[in-house]
Amino acid sequence: MKNMPAALVSRVLRRIAQKSARRVLVASCNYSNDATFEIKECDLYLLEEGPPVTTVLTREEGLKYYRMMLTVRRMELKADQLYKQKFIRGFCHLCDGQEACCVGIEAGIKPSDHVITSYRAHGTCYTRGISVRSILAELTGRRGGCAKGKGGSMHMYTKNFYGGNGIVGAQGPLAEAFNMAALWKLPCVFICENNLYGMGTSNERAAASTDYYKRGNFIPGLKVDGMDVLCVREATKFAGDYCRSGKGPIVMELQTYRYHGHSMSDPGMSYRTREEIQDIRSKRDPITLLQDRMVNSKLTTVEELKEIGAEVRKEIDDAAQFATTDPEPHLEELGHHIYSSDPSFEVRGANPWIKFKSIS
């Protein structure tokens, strides 16, 4: 480098230094492959034993769960923003705060298992395999949505997922009613995501008994810490194994918490205090809990999680851009997909002179 210009020498030295620094950084990241954690013991009903109180989390699993929960959280916050900007209309029920439920359930079941949900289902849509782009586009009523823009917040579907049901409690009978499931020993896991509040009141002011895991009466039940993704995962595995063994149905109550109101028309502050919400955020937030566990056990670093956060933020922003620019469905498509496998037929519109063609 003796005869090289000073500026060129400086650039070469900087590159050498940067490469050396990267090598040192990589060498210093000595991650653990897995770690064992204690989880909260579940309350049992009509069961002699329940899920384990310790579990192993691998680095790969932890990073996957963290990314999924963070994606659901930011997707819901973006949906809140799009609703206030009037890109999303109608009913919209957000699940931020409840991310450990949908991610933990998916971690504990098989892709071939069938899932039927109520209307607060954006997170489950994502964990079942629907992309953020397709979910947000469905919320804004665009052609690129998972239901072609015709379902909206409460009606999203994919393989083995029968999306949100707009009728309160209607997903229970669809999945098989308690009596029939117990009578025929059907392999059904009934899940109550107990976020402690309904529309305008707490469950304690509305129910004489809040032990929802006992509501099956003759069906065994579990009360689970729904803010801990590992606790939800292990309880779901236990419940799935119980059903698959031929013992019949089981009820799981996941004790969780929603940060938003019941729906977008509910500010969520008239029946609970801001201090209560902040206390839950600071002490029991499911994403923070997993983050602290992973960092403290050397499964990851704060820096690595920040990189994941930046990637998730970009994914959400790109999806929101698509959801606000993709075309709306054509009027001619109004009657499409009424049935899944029938020849095309005519559907009468709002008056007898307007007809639409329905295709599967």
Side-chain angles (χ1 to χ4, degrees):
M1 292 187 287
K2 187 166 152 183
N3 298 320
M4 294 171 63
L8 183 56
V9 170
S10 177
R11 282 202 298 271
V12 171
L13 290 175
R14 274 202 306 271
R15 287 179 183 174
I16 293 173
Q18 288 170 353
K19 288 181 179 179
S20 300
R22 281 199 294 269
R23 284 197 294 270
V24 172
L25 178 63
V26 171
S28 66
C29 291
N30 188 18
Y31 297 117
S32 300
N33 290 324
D34 57 56
T36 301
F37 298 104
E38 292 184 359
I39 54 178
K40 186 177 179 181
E41 185 176 7
C42 296
D43 292 342
L44 308 180
Y45 176 66
L46 299 181
L47 290 167
E48 295 182 359
E49 61 178 0
V53 293
T54 62
T55 186
V56 175
L57 177 69
T58 67
R59 170 175 154 78
E60 182 181 1
E61 290 171 339
L63 292 176
K64 178 182 178 182
Y65 301 160
Y66 179 81
R67 182 183 290 271
M68 292 179 77
M69 287 200 292
L70 190 61
T71 299
V72 173
R73 172 71 55 86
R74 293 207 171 139
M75 178 177 71
E76 293 296 70
L77 295 179
K78 181 60 71 173
D80 174 63
Q81 179 185 345
L82 293 174
Y83 197 97
K84 290 170 180 172
Q85 293 173 338
K86 300 188 185 305
F87 283 110
I88 298 174
R89 302 298 184 98
F91 292 103
C92 185
H93 306 83
L94 304 180
C95 68
D96 49 316
Q98 302 182 202
E99 296 86 357
C101 295
C102 57
V103 175
I105 289 170
E106 189 63 34
I109 63 176
K110 301 176 181 178
S112 57
D113 290 333
H114 299 266
V115 177
I116 303 174
T117 70
S118 60
Y119 44 78
R120 199 179 307 279
H122 303 162
T124 307
C125 293
Y126 176 71
T127 57
R128 284 269 85 185
I130 304 177
S131 69
V132 177
R133 177 184 171 109
S134 188
I135 292 170
L136 289 183
E138 188 59 40
L139 291 176
T140 57
R142 309 298 172 124
R143 297 181 71 184
C146 57
K148 309 298 183 185
K150 296 189 289 184
S153 176
M154 294 189 286
H155 304 283
M156 301 187 193
Y157 311 95
T158 190
K159 185 177 181 181
N160 297 334
F161 173 61
Y162 310 88
N165 197 305
I167 304 171
V168 177
Q171 73 276 13
L174 286 176
E176 297 293 353
F178 278 3
N179 181 66
M180 187 180 293
L183 189 64
W184 293 349
K185 293 191 179 300
L186 301 178
C188 298
V189 180
F190 294 97
I191 298 176
C192 167
E193 291 186 49
N194 179 11
N195 59 29
L196 307 184
Y197 292 96
M199 176 68 167
T201 190
S202 71
N203 60 3
E204 293 179 345
R205 292 195 293 266
S209 171
T210 58
D211 288 333
Y212 299 110
Y213 69 110
K214 298 179 180 179
R215 289 288 188 93
N217 191 11
F218 37 77
I219 300 176
L222 298 167
K223 182 189 284 187
V224 184
D225 182 357
M227 301 299 272
D228 181 353
V229 67
L230 300 184
C231 196
V232 176
R233 181 186 72 175
E234 295 307 311
T236 304
K237 286 180 179 178
F238 175 88
D241 291 342
Y242 181 93
C243 291
R244 294 182 215 281
S245 68
K247 296 177 181 177
I250 193 169
V251 176
M252 283 207 312
E253 176 188 344
L254 307 183
Q255 289 210 311
T256 184
Y257 197 85
R258 57 169 167 78
Y259 293 153
H260 268 86
H262 170 76
S263 65
M264 300 307 293
S265 61
D266 171 24
M269 293 298 171
S270 60
Y271 49 85
R272 59 181 181 176
T273 63
R274 292 184 184 275
E275 290 74 22
E276 177 185 295
I277 300 171
Q278 289 305 317
D279 188 59
I280 297 291
R281 283 185 181 274
S282 62
K283 296 178 182 178
R284 297 187 59 216
D285 184 83
I287 298 175
T288 303
L289 174 61
L290 179 62
Q291 172 182 306
D292 292 347
R293 277 175 164 169
M294 293 180 66
V295 171
N296 293 337
S297 59
K298 301 189 186 305
L299 292 175
T300 187
T301 61
V302 173
E303 290 72 23
E304 184 177 33
L305 296 182
K306 284 182 178 178
E307 290 178 6
I308 292 174
E311 293 169 2
V312 168
R313 185 177 291 107
K314 185 179 186 309
E315 179 185 6
I316 300 298
D317 289 342
D318 290 347
Q321 175 66 21
F322 174 76
T324 54
T325 57
D326 190 50
E328 295 180 350
H330 293 304
L331 182 62
E332 297 77 37
E333 299 174 12
L334 186 63
H336 288 190
H337 309 114
I338 294 176
Y339 296 102
S340 63
S341 58
D342 277 285
S344 59
F345 58 94
E346 288 189 336
V347 180
R348 184 165 63 83
N351 66 62
W353 297 280
I354 296 178
K355 293 185 178 180
F356 301 99
K357 178 173 281 191
S358 181
I359 59 173
S360 300

